[in-house]
Amino acid sequence: LVVGKKMFDVFVGELKDTIEAAQSLGTSISIYADKGNHEIAESLMVFYEKHSGLFDSAGNIAYGKECYYDDKASIYMLRCMYDSAEHYYRKLTKAPDLNNRILGYSGLFDIYKIRENKDSMLHYALSFSNNSQKYFDELQTKELERLHTTYNYEQQKVTAEKMSLKAERANLRFWQTLCIAITLAIVFAFVFVIWKNRKKAELEKA
């Protein structure tokens, strides 16, 4: 627990908040679990579970945070505590996020592979495969929707630019017409004044 306490104290000192500091340990737990360093990961888990405020009295983590069960199960796998690992992988299969459920099926497949239970291996292999396909189908759908939205946005943008250009051209024509009209009016007025002066001069001579 020494390493976990040191890291926890550092986060508390930086963040000035015990709960936020404990929640910040989540990323470090995943990193050490992935590296196979179960001793440090477990020491961090003690403070994470005790001070983060994310767990209920039964030890269930808050909704949307279920990926933690994968870290927990991974630690038990490293320690060859397969029953405990199975418990958390099964929790993952009930998670709302499909990606977490896939991790659960994969973990259960690994456990039954170790136990040499071929029927269960087949069951979880199929569950993993079907859900993985579903996951990629959803990704593909989201990507198509994103592309469609982007295309519509670009089309609207082009249309708006065309409308703006038309408005600018119409405005330019208006000012050009106005300038021409003012110029002509000045010219006509100038010609009229000259004609009037000449007419006046002719009358005076007569």
Side-chain angles (χ1 to χ4, degrees):
L1 295 177
V2 176
V3 176
K5 188 176 189 312
K6 284 183 177 179
M7 291 187 67
F8 178 60
D9 289 341
V10 169
F11 282 125
V12 171
E14 291 179 351
L15 300 172
K16 310 299 181 185
D17 184 280
T18 302
I19 293 177
E20 189 175 353
Q23 291 180 2
S24 299
L25 294 174
T27 301
S28 298
I29 290 170
S30 295
I31 292 172
Y32 285 110
D34 289 341
K35 288 181 177 179
N37 195 328
H38 68 83
E39 291 181 355
I40 295 179
E42 282 183 289
S43 67
L44 294 175
M45 285 176 172
V46 172
F47 295 94
Y48 183 69
E49 294 179 11
K50 185 177 180 180
H51 299 289
S52 66
L54 296 174
F55 296 83
D56 62 20
S57 58
N60 299 310
I61 200 167
Y63 181 89
K65 301 287 186 179
E66 292 84 3
C67 58
Y68 174 72
Y69 293 144
D70 183 54
D71 295 329
K72 192 91 170 176
S74 297
I75 297 301
Y76 284 124
M77 289 291 284
L78 288 170
R79 295 179 61 187
C80 299
M81 299 173 65
Y82 302 124
D83 289 343
S84 297
E86 180 182 357
H87 172 73
Y88 286 100
Y89 281 136
R90 288 193 182 281
K91 280 192 170 187
L92 270 177
T93 62
K94 299 174 183 178
D97 182 72
L98 179 57
N99 193 44
N100 284 331
R101 296 200 296 273
I102 291 170
L103 290 173
Y105 295 128
S106 176
L108 289 170
F109 172 82
D110 290 337
I111 287 175
Y112 284 105
K113 183 179 179 182
I114 293 170
R115 293 173 176 169
E116 298 183 352
N117 186 324
K118 294 182 180 180
D119 289 339
S120 294
M121 283 173 61
L122 177 60
H123 172 75
Y124 289 111
L126 289 173
S127 296
F128 174 82
S129 178
N130 293 335
N131 282 273
S132 294
Q133 185 59 52
K134 183 179 178 181
Y135 176 74
F136 287 115
D137 287 344
E138 288 182 1
L139 282 182
Q140 186 177 39
T141 300
K142 288 179 181 178
E143 180 62 15
L144 289 173
E145 289 175 350
R146 186 189 68 79
L147 291 173
H148 181 69
T149 300
T150 302
Y151 174 77
N152 287 340
Y153 170 76
E154 291 299 328
Q155 287 293 99
Q156 291 174 359
K157 186 177 178 182
V158 169
T159 302
E161 288 175 351
K162 286 181 178 179
M163 294 294 290
S164 178
L165 184 59
K166 286 182 179 180
E168 288 178 4
R169 286 177 178 173
N171 191 44
L172 180 60
R173 283 196 295 269
F174 169 78
W175 286 109
Q176 285 176 337
T177 303
L178 182 61
C179 288
I180 292 171
I182 291 173
T183 301
L184 289 174
I186 292 172
V187 170
F188 285 135
F190 183 70
V191 170
F192 177 75
V193 169
I194 293 175
W195 175 82
K196 187 176 180 181
N197 288 338
R198 285 181 179 177
K199 197 70 174 176
K200 183 178 180 181
E202 290 175 359
L203 290 173
E204 288 176 352
K205 289 179 180 179

